[in-house]
């Protein structure tokens, strides 16, 4: 049984994240989407809100669960039994950090293997921080995030949309 974890902040979840979730759920027997509880001061959504948004989006995928975790990813992996870390790679700018963190995780927990999925071309420019920035100025975010979350993202950004 292959058990993978896709960790991230997901603040907010985007179509890019969803694409990685769908593709990795088709590769691994079980996938945990792990929301990092990093007590980021200027986060848009609380960790519980992000978990519930992700649960809503993945409820039709029987092999996907959503959870949050504190502290080191490898400690959460030891607890949950996941041995594969899924990460998405967009541009080369992602690579240096991802390589370093993957190697560190492997040193800390030799059973941990990181697997990279290359971004879907359609979403290669997309990140949660771009969504937050666009929403803060009232930009159109409908191409970036699932429709049911658009209004909540504007509300959190203190933007009034008609
Ligand atoms: P952000 O979207 O702000 O980069 P996350 O920490 O939530 O932040 O990202 C979690 C994981 O999802 C990372 O591996 C990141 O590379 C990947 N990811 C994010 N956006 C995309 C995208 N558009 N396409 C592919 N992978 C992505």
């Amino acid at each position: 049984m292959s058990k993978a974890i896709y960790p991230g902040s997901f603040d907010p979840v985007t179509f890019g994240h969803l694409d990685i979730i769908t593709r990795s759920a088709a590769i691994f027997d079980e996938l945990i989407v792990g929301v990092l509880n990093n007590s980021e001061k200027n986060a848009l959504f609380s960790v519980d809100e992000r978990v519930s948004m992700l649960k809503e989006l993945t409820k039709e995928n029987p092999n996907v669960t959503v959870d949050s975790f504190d502290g080191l990813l490898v400690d959460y992996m030891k607890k949950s039994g996941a041995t594969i870390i899924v990460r998405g790679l967009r541009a080369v700018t992602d690579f240096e950090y991802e390589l370093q963190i993957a190697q560190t995780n492997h040193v800390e927990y030799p059973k941990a293997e990181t697997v990279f999925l290359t971004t879907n071309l359609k979403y290669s420019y997309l990140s949660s921080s771009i969504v937050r920035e666009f929403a803060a100025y009232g930009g159109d975010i409908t191409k970036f995030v699932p429709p049911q979350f658009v209004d909540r993202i504007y509300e959190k950004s203190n933007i009034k949309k008609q």
Side-chain angles (χ1 to χ4, degrees), residues 137-150:
Y137 294 103
D140 182 5
I141 55 168
T142 53
K143 287 197 174 68
F144 308 154
V145 297
Q148 63 269 48
F149 303 138
V150 168

Side-chain angles (χ1 to χ4, degrees), residues 17-36:
H17 296 132
L18 267 185
D19 180 65
I20 298 286
I21 292 172
T22 312
R23 287 160 62 200
S24 29
I27 299 173
F28 304 108
D29 296 317
E30 280 182 55
L31 179 72
I32 304 168
V33 181
V35 180
L36 177 63

Side-chain angles (χ1 to χ4, degrees), residues 6-20 23 36 86-90 94 98 116-120 122-130 132:
Y6 176 37
S9 307
F10 307 104
D11 184 37
V13 60
T14 68
F15 285 131
H17 296 132
L18 267 185
D19 180 65
I20 298 286
R23 287 160 62 200
L36 177 63
V86 175
R87 297 288 287 173
L89 271 189
R90 285 161 294 193
D94 278 343
E98 291 295 341
F116 295 106
L117 294 188
T118 50
T119 180
N120 184 317
K122 278 196 291 191
Y123 307 126
S124 58
Y125 61 90
L126 192 51
S127 69
S128 298
S129 52
I130 286 284
R132 290 197 301 271

